[in-house]
């Protein structure tokens, strides 16, 4: 079966995006704490979601098409 | 006609063309309501973001961050994304397994044989969708009239006409495909305007550090709110976001159309990747706009920046983008309101034995009825930008009433039908009361109807569930949702 790399790609992209957002919006600031929190709050779910997705993938937690008749 | 008008009209023609083309694959009500349950992840992502971003974002939020700072508004999108991940990786799988067409279908199946639950869920869906539709249509007219100088009636005819045609023809597929194209349009538009705005601010990183010095509230968590109001603002908008993602018909219905549970998970991940780029760029940069020009009417901040800071081509794309954002939300609401009329009222109460052909006819007639209602509702009154945001908050308050029976119905075996009916009724009554109180200044402005409605509904649902016991039919549905071998 073909290996699904979607989760890994998303982990890489989400970490990269988070880093770019930190550089663009947090680094230039003197009072950066509130903005840092907001960047993490906004870009963090993608990182967490991608890790969770990959964990589910590794454990085979996806059911096939399941419809309640 | 100038370049702004030409690009916007061209984009409307493209949406119409694609919407009508997608109608060729609509053969039955499954296709019309839920796209044959065969939607791939990118389309689900596109329609979710397009539905979520409307004139509320481009007019309401951009205007608000212009005067109050970005962080108290950006926070709500973190809640949106966290809820979306939860929906995609956990809750969505149970919802998909129930083979639903509309959100009231969930209540009818999970809490069987109860007229109160049926009636209450139908009343909530109709009431909230119509209020939100009118406020979103008002937003569309604000955009079209303000940008192109056309009359309110002409703006309504153009926007409602476009949406009605592709929703009538293509049903859910027409809406989802056009939504995705609209999402690409406004995403690209916002990304193209951002560098011009940054340049006007003084370039990166100078513009941001200068903005921090000139407008200190921009980097504060509470913006220009007081600490007390800031806390309530966070509570209200985050609560609204969670309810919107997990309980609003127009967003939750996207879980019904996914090809598989994995597809839904992927769609939510893509959303979590793309949405923050758009939101942070749009809202954070526009909170610094007062440094460029501080005397703008807040609601026209985006339109002003597009027409005055960007090149004409980018500005034209930006205006097409804002029109796309307005239309995409309206079309999703249209589709869901029409589905509520046809599925939850016609098929459930008027003619339960209707054949496929009749159901299709009625579904299309319902789209037309909704269009007429919106036209009449939007022409007969004037509404401010604040009214548009209030319409949105009122609708989320209505969904907060059915949020606890929805979530507990999925995750808690002991949730009972009686508890669902009572929690919906009490939650909705509290919500309506507080919305009226807030509108007429009778209740404190910080007392958010959605937070109060959610709290009351949750308390009633838990208390009554503990006091009563679930019947065999309720337990059977709960167990069936958990079976992974259903095909």
């Amino acid at each position: 079966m073909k290996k699904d790399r979607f989760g890994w790609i998303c982990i890489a992209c989400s970490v990269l995006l988070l880093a770019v957002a930190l550089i663009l919006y947090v680094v230039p600031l003197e009072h950066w704490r509130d903005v840092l929190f907001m960047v993490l709050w906004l870009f963090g779910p993608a990182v967490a979601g991608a890790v969770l997705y990959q964990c589910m993938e590794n454990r085979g937690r996806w059911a096939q098409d399941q419809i309640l008749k | 006609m100038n370049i702004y008008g030409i690009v916007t009209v061209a984009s409307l023609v493209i949406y119409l063309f694609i919407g009508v083309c997608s109608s060729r694959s609509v053969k039955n009500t499954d296709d019309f309501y839920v796209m044959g349950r065969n939607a791939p992840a990118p389309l689900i992502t596109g329609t979710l973001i397009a539905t979520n971003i409307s004139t509320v974002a481009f007019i309401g939020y951009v205007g608000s961050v212009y005067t109050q700072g970005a962080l108290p508004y950006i926070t709500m999108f973190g809640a949106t994304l966290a809820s979306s991940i939860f929906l995609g990786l956990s809750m969505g799988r149970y919802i998909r397994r129930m083979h639903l067409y509309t959100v009231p279908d969930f209540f009818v199946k999970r809490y069987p044989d109860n007229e109160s639950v049926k009636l209450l869920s139908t009343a909530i869906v109709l009431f909230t969708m119509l209020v939100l539709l009118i406020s979103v249509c008002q937003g569309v007219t604000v955009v079209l009239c303000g940008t192109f100088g056309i009359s309110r009636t002409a703006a309504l005819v153009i926007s409602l006409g476009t949406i009605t045609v592709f929703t009538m023809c293509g049903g859910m597929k027409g809406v989802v495909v056009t939504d995705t194209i609209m999402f690409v349009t406004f995403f690209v538009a916002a990304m193209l305007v951002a560098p011009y705005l940054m340049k006007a601010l003084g370039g990166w990183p100078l513009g941001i550090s200068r903005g921090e010095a000139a407008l200190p509230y921009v980097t504060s968590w509470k913006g220009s709110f007081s600490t007390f109001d800031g806390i309530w603002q966070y509570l209200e908008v985050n609560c609204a976001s969670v309810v919107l993602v997990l309980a609003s018909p127009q967003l939750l219905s996207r879980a019904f159309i996914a090809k598989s549970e994995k597809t839904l998970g992927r769609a939510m991940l893509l959303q979590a990747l793309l949405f923050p780029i758009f939101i942070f760029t749009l809202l954070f940069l526009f909170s610094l706009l007062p440094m460029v020009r501080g005397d703008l009417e807040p609601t026209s901040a985006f339109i002003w920046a597009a027409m005055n800071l960007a090149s004409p081509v980018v500005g034209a794309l930006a205006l097409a983008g804002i029109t796309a954002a307005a239309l995409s939300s309206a079309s999703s609401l249209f589709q869901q309101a029409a589905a509520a009329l046809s599925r939850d009222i016609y098929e459930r109460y008027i003619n339960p034995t209707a054949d496929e052909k009749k159901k299709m006819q009625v579904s299309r007639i319902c789209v037309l009825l909704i269009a007429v209602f919106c036209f009449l509702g939007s022409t007969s009154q004037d509404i401010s930008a604040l009214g548009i945001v209030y319409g949105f908050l009122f609708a989320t308050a209505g969904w907060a009433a059915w949020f606890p029976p929805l979530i507990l119905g999925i995750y808690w075996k002991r949730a009972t039908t009686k508890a669902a009916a009572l929690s919906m009724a009490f939650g909705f009554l509290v919500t309506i009361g507080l919305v009226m109180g807030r509108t007429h200044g009778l209740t404190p402005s910080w007392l958010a109807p959605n937070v109060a409605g959610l709290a009351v509904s949750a308390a009633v649902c838990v208390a009554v569930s503990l006091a009563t016991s679930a019947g065999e039919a309720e337990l059977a549905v709960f167990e069936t949702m958990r079976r992974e071998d259903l095909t």
Side-chain angles (χ1 to χ4, degrees):
Chain A
M1 212 171 119
K2 199 181 163 193
K3 205 152 191 171
D4 185 357
R5 296 188 198 283
F6 185 80
W8 288 116
I9 294 169
C10 282
I11 291 174
C13 291
S14 57
V15 172
L16 184 69
L17 274 177
L18 180 61
V20 171
L22 289 173
I23 292 167
L24 279 180
Y25 299 114
V26 180
V27 170
L29 297 173
E30 202 173 314
H31 302 97
W32 45 266
R33 243 171 244 164
D34 294 1
V35 180
L36 170 70
F37 173 77
M38 208 49 73
V39 167
L40 291 175
W41 178 223
L42 213 65
F43 288 84
V47 181
V51 171
L52 273 174
Y53 178 95
Q54 191 54 45
C55 289
M56 290 173 77
E57 182 71 34
N58 292 346
R59 293 179 182 193
R61 293 294 297 273
W62 298 108
Q64 293 308 306
D65 194 24
Q66 301 154 356
I67 292 171
L68 180 69
K69 296 285 182 192
Chain B
M1 192 186 284
N2 59 19
I3 186 168
Y4 303 112
I6 292 169
V7 172
T8 301
V9 170
S11 66
L12 290 179
V13 172
I14 292 170
Y15 305 145
L16 258 182
F17 177 73
I18 292 169
V20 172
C21 283
S22 64
S23 69
R24 283 185 299 181
S25 60
V26 178
K27 304 272 188 282
N28 51 37
T29 45
D30 245 31
D31 294 333
F32 193 82
Y33 287 133
V34 287
M35 212 180 150
R37 301 189 198 279
N38 202 22
L43 284 187
I44 300 175
T45 305
T47 185
L48 278 172
I49 300 180
T51 303
N52 214 326
I53 293 299
S54 63
T55 43
V56 177
F58 277 99
I59 295 179
Y61 294 144
V62 168
S64 301
V65 302
Y66 177 76
T67 52
Q68 293 167 320
L71 301 191
Y73 293 91
I74 287 179
T75 173
M76 68 184 295
F77 294 98
T80 298
L81 297 174
S83 312
S84 299
I85 294 290
F86 172 68
L87 177 66
L89 301 185
S90 175
M91 182 178 151
R93 59 174 53 198
Y94 304 117
I95 293 276
R96 263 201 93 255
R97 290 174 196 172
M98 292 189 78
H99 201 200
L100 307 173
Y101 289 95
T102 61
V103 177
D105 269 357
F106 171 85
F107 297 102
V108 173
K109 285 193 173 182
R110 174 62 179 86
Y111 305 108
D113 307 321
N114 189 293
E115 278 306 312
S116 311
V117 171
K118 260 191 219 178
L119 270 173
L120 276 164
S121 57
T122 307
I124 290 176
V125 75
L126 264 183
F127 202 55
T128 53
M129 296 305 280
L130 293 179
V131 169
L132 189 55
L133 249 176
I134 288 186
S135 87
V136 169
C137 285
Q138 298 275 9
V140 178
T141 58
V142 169
V143 171
L144 292 179
C145 298
T147 313
F148 304 110
I150 54 177
S151 70
R152 170 182 283 267
T153 310
L156 275 173
V157 169
I158 292 168
S159 54
L160 289 179
T162 311
I163 298 167
T164 308
V165 170
F166 68 67
T167 312
M168 267 181 86
C169 296
M172 180 64 100
K173 188 171 184 185
V175 170
V176 167
V177 173
T178 48
D179 267 7
T180 306
I181 296 164
M182 291 174 190
F183 155 65
V184 174
T185 310
F186 68 69
F187 188 88
V188 170
M191 292 305 111
L192 288 176
V193 170
Y196 288 98
L197 180 52
M198 186 57 96
K199 191 178 164 198
L201 291 167
W204 184 87
L206 190 65
I208 292 186
S209 43
R210 272 176 49 197
E212 181 191 18
L215 311 162
Y217 63 87
V218 164
T219 52
S220 163
W221 68 271
K222 58 185 186 199
S224 61
F225 288 101
S226 67
T227 302
F228 182 77
D229 286 344
I231 290 170
W232 275 101
Q233 163 78 7
Y234 269 65
L235 256 179
E236 180 167 13
V237 295
N238 279 289
C239 178
S241 282
V242 173
V243 169
L244 186 72
V245 173
L246 299 180
S248 74
Q250 73 272 25
L251 293 183
L252 192 59
S253 61
R254 276 26 179 190
F256 312 160
I257 66 173
K259 206 174 191 173
S260 65
E261 292 173 9
K262 192 172 180 176
T263 305
L264 186 62
R266 284 180 169 210
M268 295 305 175
L269 262 186
L270 283 176
Q271 187 191 4
L273 284 170
L274 293 172
F275 213 170
I277 306 174
F278 172 76
I279 286 301
F280 221 95
T281 308
L282 184 76
L283 297 188
F284 192 75
L285 289 187
F286 270 90
S287 69
L288 300 170
L289 186 62
M291 285 204 339
V292 180
R293 184 145 174 203
D295 60 345
L296 292 172
E297 173 63 34
T299 50
S300 62
F302 185 84
I303 296 172
W304 180 86
M307 294 176 93
N308 294 283
L309 298 181
S311 69
V313 176
V314 171
L317 260 175
L319 294 189
I322 192 171
T323 311
L327 290 184
S328 57
S329 300
S331 67
S332 293
L333 294 171
F334 242 67
Q335 194 273 337
Q336 280 301 299
L341 269 187
S342 53
R343 169 87 184 158
D344 299 322
I345 293 184
Y346 177 76
E347 289 178 35
R348 193 158 289 143
Y349 292 105
I350 300 172
N351 189 2
T353 56
D355 60 18
E356 197 68 19
K357 198 177 164 192
K358 186 83 184 165
K359 285 182 192 171
M360 285 292 287
Q361 278 174 351
V362 171
S363 304
R364 289 187 160 131
I365 291 169
C366 286
V367 176
L368 206 58
L369 281 177
I370 295 290
V372 173
F373 175 85
C374 287
F375 183 81
L376 296 176
S378 306
T379 44
S380 61
Q381 55 184 313
D382 208 355
I383 193 169
S384 64
L386 190 65
I388 296 170
V389 177
Y390 264 32
F392 162 72
L393 288 176
F394 169 72
T396 59
W399 301 320
W402 73 20
F403 183 79
L406 178 66
I407 299 289
L408 293 176
I410 292 171
Y411 291 103
W412 194 30
K413 205 173 184 176
R414 291 195 59 177
T416 64
T417 304
K418 198 172 270 179
L422 285 172
S423 67
M424 271 196 254
F426 276 103
F428 200 48
L429 280 176
V430 168
T431 296
I432 296 270
L434 288 179
V435 167
M436 302 301 279
R438 189 187 237 190
T439 312
H440 295 98
L442 300 172
T443 54
S445 62
W446 52 264
L447 186 54
N450 59 9
V451 179
L454 182 63
V456 169
S457 176
V460 171
C461 196
V462 170
V464 178
S465 289
L466 289 173
T468 53
S469 54
E472 276 182 20
E474 291 152 290
L475 292 174
V477 177
F478 185 83
E479 292 304 333
T480 318
M481 266 196 283
R482 268 148 186 80
R483 281 175 56 193
E484 294 196 352
D485 57 341
L486 294 169
T487 51

